[in-house]
Amino acid sequence: MIPEIKLPTLLVDEQKCRQNIAQMVQKATDNQVIIRPHFKTHQAHGIGRWFREAGVEHITTSSFRMASYFAADGWKDITVAFPVNILEVERINTLARKVQLNICLENLSTLAFLEENLSTKVGVFVEINAGNNRSGLHLDHLPLIHQLVERITQSKKMQFLGFLGHAGQSYQARSHETILKAHQYSLQLMSQLRSKFQEKHPDLMISLGDTPTCSIADQFPGVDEIRPGNFVYYDVTQSYIGSCSTEQIAVAMACPVVAKYPERNEIIVYGGGVHFSKDRVQRRDGTTIFGLLADWTEKAWSVIPDSDTYVSGLSQEHGKIHTTQERIAATKIGDLLLIVPVHSCMTADLMKSVRTLDGQIIEMMRY
Amino acid sequence: MIPEIKLPTLLVDEQKCRQNIAQMVQKATDNQVIIRPHFKTHQAHGIGRWFREAGVEHITTSSFRMASYFAADGWKDITVAFPVNILEVERINTLARKVQLNICLENLSTLAFLEENLSTKVGVFVEINAGNNRSGLHLDHLPLIHQLVERITQSKKMQFLGFLGHAGQSYQARSHETILKAHQYSLQLMSQLRSKFQEKHPDLMISLGDTPTCSIADQFPGVDEIRPGNFVYYDVTQSYIGSCSTEQIAVAMACPVVAKYPERNEIIVYGGGVHFSKDRVQRRDGTTIFGLLADWTEKAWSVIPDSDTYVSGLSQEHGKIHTTQERIAATKIGDLLLIVPVHSCMTADLMKSVRTLDGQIIEMMRY
C-alpha cells in the first residue's frame, strides 16, 4: 500500500520496465538488427528516456501527433507506422523539417496527394500486410507494389526505404509454436519481396515487429529492424499469448476497495472501464477476464497465480473482483488492490500518467 | 464533410441532444418525479448547461472528482452514485461545504469511517442492488439495511435520504418486454423497502434509473427520482436494447479514410480503440460490431441501416469498416466517414471534447 494514493493509479515498476527494454535491446544487438520500438504503449517522454539510456535512437509512433510529441523531446528518427492520413499534411511538413520522418504508403491516391503537397523530403516504407489483414498490401497486389516503389523512387520528395509489416495475427496465438508460425510467415513474405526488389534497390530495408514474435523468436533472418512496443510493460494478454511471464509485467493499477460481497465471492473496487478500457481476454477454461490481481511485496508486487482470483467485470468506474473467501476476509474497505491490466497500451492511454514505486509521476502525451 | 476536421473528432448534434433531454424532462414532469440525470456520459459543463436550460437542478455523477468538476459550474445538488471511496474524505468534506452532496452507503465500515471523519453534513442513500449484482444491498441483507438506516439517522453528520438502485441488468435486454421486466423488478423491490421503512421514515426517497427503463417505461409508481445518463447521446447499444431509435443517437465520430481493400470489402479509417474504446455489441445474427456508419446529410447525419455496413474491428488507432463494393467505390482516401459509437459514455470519456455541427468545441472534464 502507498498511503498517498487516493484514486485509481497506474504504477510502473521501473526496474522491470528497464529490464524489459534491456532484454529487447540485447536481442536486437545479438541479431544485428536496428531496434525501433513502438512508443504507442507508454506515450511518455519519461519512459522514452529509459529507452534512450539503453541506447535506442530510432522510434515508431502510431500517429503524427505522437511523433510531434516525441520530436519535442529530442527524438530525431521517427517512423509513423500507420497509413498516412493526408488531412494532416501540414503537420507532416512541419515534422519533416525537424526530424527524419518515415511514413507508410499503400495506395496511389495518398502517394499522388503527397507528391503534390509535401514540402520536405520524407522516408517512405511500402506497407505490407504481413498476415493480420488490417492495413498494407499483399503479394496479390504485386503490380501496385511495383508502381508504388517506382513512383516513390522517382519522387524528389520521397526516399524509398523498404517494406514494413506487422504480424498482428500473433496476438491470437496461445503458444510459442503459433507465434513462431506467424514469424515464419512474415519472414518468408518479406524475403520474397526482397528478392523481387533487391536488384534495383540493394539498400531496401525490411522492418517487422510485434511484441509476441520479437519476444519469442531468437532469429530474424533478412530483417533489418524490429518494432515491438507492448513489451515495455507487457500485460495479461501477452502472458496468455506466451510472450512473457507474469513476473515481467511492469504495470499494475492500485484501486481502492469500496465494497465486499462474500456471498458472491466478490470485491468491488474503484477502477473501471475509464481506467482499464474494456479490453478483455479469454482464459483457457473459457472465462472472460478483465485483469489479474497482484499482492503487494516489500518493494513492488507479485501477480497472484491465475486461478479463482481475477477481474470478472468492468463498468464505467466499478471493477468487479472474483476471489476467495480468505482474500475477501483479509481485505478491508479502503485497501488498495493491485490489478494487472489485460491490455497495457489501452490502460496507459486512458490514465495519461504512470507513477513509479518511489512516487515519481511520469506524465504522458495529452490531446 | 467538415473541411476543418483533420483528426478523429466526436460530433454532437445539438438539436437531437436537446430533444433527448427535453423528452426525458417531460417524462419526469408527467410522472411527478425529480429528474437527476447522470452526467458521467457527457462529462461537460457545456452539455450540462443544456440540461439546466431545460429546467434540471439535480444531478448524478460517478465520482467525487466529477462532482467537483460540476460544482465548479454552479451545480448545487449532486449525488455521487458509487459506493464511497473513503480515501477521498478530504475532497468529500470540501465538496459538502459548497453543495448539497449526497452519497451512497452499503457497509458499516465506510459508515464508521465517515462518522469519524466527515466535517460537514451529507445526504445519504442506502444503495440497493436492484438486480444487476454490481454494488448495493439486497433484501437478504435486510438486517444490515436496518442497521445502516438506524445509524445514519442517529448520526449528526448524515441525513438519511432513502434508497437508491440501478437496474443495470436492463443493458442485457433486447426487447421492451425484458426492459419492463427489469423495471418491474426494481419497482417491487423498492416498494417492499418503502413499506418496511416508511413508518419511521415517512420522507424517504426512492431513487432509480438507467437509460433503458427510463426510456421505455411510462410509469414510475413509488419512485421519487430517476437518474438516467446515457440518453443524452444514446448509442448503438441502446438502439439494440430498444431504448432509442438510431435517429435519436446524438453523437458520431468523423474519421479520416486512410486505406481501402475492396477485395476484403473493407475500408480502414483513422479511428480506433483510443477513440471509441473497445466496447462492442452483438447483432441478432451473431456478428460482433464496434460501431455503425452514418451518411452526412445537409445539416447532420443519417445512420445507415444496420446490414452489411458496420465497424468490424478496432485496434489502437485503426478502425476496420466492413461495407459494400458500391460504398467502397464511392469513398475516397481523405474522406471523413461518420461512425456512430457502440457505447457513447466510453467514447466521450476518451475524446475529452465534442464538436457541435456549427463548429463549437465543448470541452469535457480532464484529469
Side-chain angles (χ1 to χ4, degrees), chain A residues 212-232:
Chain A
T213 62
C214 292
S215 299
I216 295 310
D218 286 322
Q219 301 202 314
F220 299 84
V223 173
D224 299 290
E225 68 169 23
I226 56 172
R227 307 185 322 278
N230 176 286
F231 75 97
V232 61

Side-chain angles (χ1 to χ4, degrees), chain B residues 30-320:
Chain B
D30 292 348
N31 279 279
Q32 294 178 287
V33 298
I34 294 168
I35 179 161
R36 185 186 283 283
H38 207 312
F39 274 16
K40 78 187 171 86
T41 304
H42 61 81
Q43 297 182 43
H45 286 170
I47 310 283
R49 290 175 199 166
W50 298 351
F51 279 91
R52 196 180 279 150
E53 287 164 29
V56 171
E57 289 176 1
H58 311 82
I59 68 169
T60 308
T61 69
S62 53
S63 68
F64 291 106
R65 190 152 57 172
M66 201 184 292
S68 308
Y69 169 80
F70 283 109
D73 201 42
W75 294 94
K76 294 285 183 210
D77 190 322
I78 308 177
T79 297
V80 179
F82 189 87
V84 173
N85 169 23
I86 60 171
L87 304 181
E88 290 181 273
V89 67
E90 270 182 55
R91 193 196 295 267
I92 296 172
N93 281 327
T94 308
L95 250 174
R97 280 194 290 275
K98 281 200 257 176
V99 304
Q100 169 64 37
L101 181 66
N102 312 312
I103 64 171
C104 289
L105 279 188
E106 54 72 77
N107 71 76
L108 291 167
S109 164
T110 302
L111 178 94
F113 179 90
L114 291 179
E115 279 189 309
E116 189 121 332
N117 292 283
L118 278 181
S119 60
T120 309
K121 198 162 184 168
V122 299
V124 181
F125 281 101
V126 171
E127 188 179 353
I128 300 301
N129 174 1
N132 70 332
N133 295 330
R134 190 171 64 183
S135 51
L137 302 172
H138 204 260
L139 286 189
D140 301 344
H141 299 105
L142 200 58
L144 174 55
I145 297 176
H146 271 289
Q147 261 184 296
L148 283 166
V149 171
E150 195 158 325
R151 283 185 56 181
I152 293 164
T153 310
Q154 285 162 5
S155 168
K156 290 197 172 113
K157 293 172 175 174
M158 301 183 200
Q159 183 197 357
F160 175 60
L161 297 178
F163 298 109
L164 176 147
H166 172 73
Q169 69 273 33
S170 64
Y171 275 70
Q172 306 308 317
R174 288 294 179 273
S175 71
H176 286 194
E177 202 191 333
T178 323
I179 296 171
L180 291 175
K181 212 176 271 178
H183 186 51
Q184 283 311 321
Y185 176 84
S186 46
L187 289 180
Q188 277 168 21
L189 184 66
M190 289 303 197
S191 136
Q192 281 178 277
L193 280 166
R194 188 193 283 276
S195 68
K196 289 185 202 306
F197 288 88
Q198 191 154 28
E199 198 173 331
K200 266 198 178 170
H201 305 277
D203 295 331
L204 76 82
M205 286 181 69
I206 299 297
S207 173
L208 274 178
D210 52 278
T211 284
T213 62
C214 291
S215 298
I216 296 309
D218 287 322
Q219 301 201 315
F220 298 84
V223 173
D224 298 290
E225 69 170 23
I226 57 171
R227 306 185 324 277
N230 177 286
F231 75 97
V232 62
Y233 291 157
Y234 283 123
D235 53 32
V236 175
T237 301
Q238 293 294 340
S239 79
Y240 278 23
I241 291 172
S243 314
C244 67
S245 68
T246 53
E247 285 81 53
Q248 288 173 279
I249 303 175
V251 285
M253 189 92 73
C255 295
V257 171
V258 296
K260 304 194 320 178
Y261 301 100
E263 69 278 15
R264 301 198 308 250
N265 279 92
E266 279 178 4
I267 295 173
I268 304 293
V269 295
Y270 179 14
V274 297
H275 308 100
F276 289 100
S277 93
K278 295 242 185 123
D279 240 324
R280 62 204 76 184
V281 68
Q282 220 177 24
R283 297 206 302 199
R284 284 180 195 279
D285 68 1
T287 322
T288 297
I289 73 161
F290 295 80
L292 287 180
L293 277 284
D295 286 319
W296 294 91
T297 59
E298 201 185 331
K299 287 193 176 164
W301 64 76
S302 160
V303 177
I304 300 171
D306 184 5
S307 54
D308 39 16
T309 296
Y310 54 88
V311 183
S312 59
L314 292 171
S315 45
Q316 187 156 342
E317 315 250 6
H318 295 77
K320 254 190 186 188

Side-chain angles (χ1 to χ4, degrees), chain A residues 6 40 62 85 87 106 133-136 141 261 263-264 278-279 315-317 320 366-367, chain B residues 6 40 62 85 87 106 133-134 136 141 261 263-264 278-279 315-318 320 366-367:
Chain A
K6 312 283 185 204
K40 77 187 171 87
S62 53
N85 169 23
L87 304 181
E106 54 72 76
N133 296 329
R134 192 172 60 182
S135 52
H141 300 105
Y261 301 99
E263 69 279 14
R264 302 199 304 253
K278 295 242 185 123
D279 240 325
S315 45
Q316 186 155 342
E317 316 250 5
K320 252 190 187 190
R366 286 176 186 253
Y367 42 87
Chain B
K6 312 284 185 204
K40 78 187 171 86
S62 53
N85 169 23
L87 304 181
E106 54 72 77
N133 295 330
R134 190 171 64 183
H141 299 105
Y261 301 100
E263 69 278 15
R264 301 198 308 250
K278 295 242 185 123
D279 240 324
S315 45
Q316 187 156 342
E317 315 250 6
H318 295 77
K320 254 190 186 188
R366 284 176 189 256
Y367 43 88

Side-chain angles (χ1 to χ4, degrees), chain A residues 325-336:
Chain A
Q325 292 298 320
E326 296 68 42
R327 286 193 175 270
I328 295 175
T331 302
K332 293 191 302 294
I333 299 289
D335 279 358
L336 292 172

Side-chain angles (χ1 to χ4, degrees), chain A residues 266-334:
Chain A
E266 279 177 4
I267 294 172
I268 304 294
V269 295
Y270 179 14
V274 297
H275 307 100
F276 289 100
S277 93
K278 295 242 185 123
D279 240 325
R280 61 203 79 184
V281 68
Q282 220 177 26
R283 297 207 301 199
R284 285 179 194 278
D285 68 0
T287 322
T288 297
I289 72 159
F290 295 80
L292 287 181
L293 278 282
D295 285 320
W296 294 91
T297 59
E298 201 185 331
K299 286 190 175 168
W301 63 75
S302 162
V303 177
I304 300 170
D306 184 6
S307 53
D308 39 15
T309 297
Y310 54 89
V311 183
S312 60
L314 292 172
S315 45
Q316 186 155 342
E317 316 250 5
H318 295 76
K320 252 190 187 190
I321 316 292
H322 180 93
T323 188
T324 59
Q325 292 298 320
E326 296 68 42
R327 286 193 175 270
I328 295 175
T331 302
K332 293 191 302 294
I333 299 289

